């Protein structure tokens, strides 16, 4: 495996993450409220370590899961389909957010869709709650520093 390069989460990356979250909320607005869409991972917290990617989590009520997947199929590409199951799907969206890559004006966003009520959704919620704690983020960053040279983050 190739080593993974980590860098400090900048204010610009936090802003990109906010913009991406807002964009995804707009995309799924016909089916879900914005409260179902939130940033996922370290990129929402300045000062931590990140690969520099932006991920957004869509908590999806059971009844809307298939419709949200169908909607995202029209605006993005399916990602990591080998990990898909009855409670999880992922996509890559290319946005033209103002705070995207200044060279191209584009930003790639990972969108993780998890059906509410399942173990995965509960685990993602716990992870996000824990990342609000600076001490937990510091521990998480140390684990990432350990795994990055091995290509495992």
């Amino acid at each position: 495996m190739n080593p993974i390069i980590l860098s400090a989460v900048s204010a610009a990356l936090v802003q990109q993450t906010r913009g991406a979250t807002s964009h995804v909320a707009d995309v799924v607005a016909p089916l879900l409220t914005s409260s179902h869409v939130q940033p996922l991972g370290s990129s929402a917290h300045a000062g931590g370590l990140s690969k520099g990617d932006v991920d957004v989590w869509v908590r999806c009520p059971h009844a809307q899961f298939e419709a949200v997947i169908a909607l995202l199929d029209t605006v993005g590409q399916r990602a990591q389909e080998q990990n898909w199951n009855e409670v999880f799907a992922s996509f890559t969206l290319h946005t033209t957010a103002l705070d995207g890559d200044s060279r191209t004006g584009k930003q790639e966003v990972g969108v993780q869709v998890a059906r509410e009520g399942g173990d995965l959704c509960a685990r993602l919620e716990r992870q996000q709650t824990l990342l609000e704690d600076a001490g937990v983020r510091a521990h998480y960053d140390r684990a990432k520093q350990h795994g990055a040279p091995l290509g495992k983050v």
Side-chain angles (χ1 to χ4, degrees), residues 98-131:
L98 294 175
D99 36 14
D101 186 325
S102 60
R103 293 166 293 164
T104 65
K106 296 187 186 267
Q107 175 180 347
E108 189 172 281
V109 179
V111 179
Q112 318 307 319
V113 183
R115 184 178 282 165
E116 287 181 336
D119 290 344
L120 175 63
C121 209
R123 190 175 30 194
L124 289 172
E125 192 157 314
R126 278 192 306 276
Q127 174 191 357
Q128 290 309 104
T129 299
L130 288 170
L131 285 176

Side-chain angles (χ1 to χ4, degrees), residues 30-46:
L31 299 171
L32 302 172
T33 67
S34 62
S35 66
H36 287 93
V37 181
Q38 62 189 89
L40 181 63
S42 299
S43 63
H45 305 281

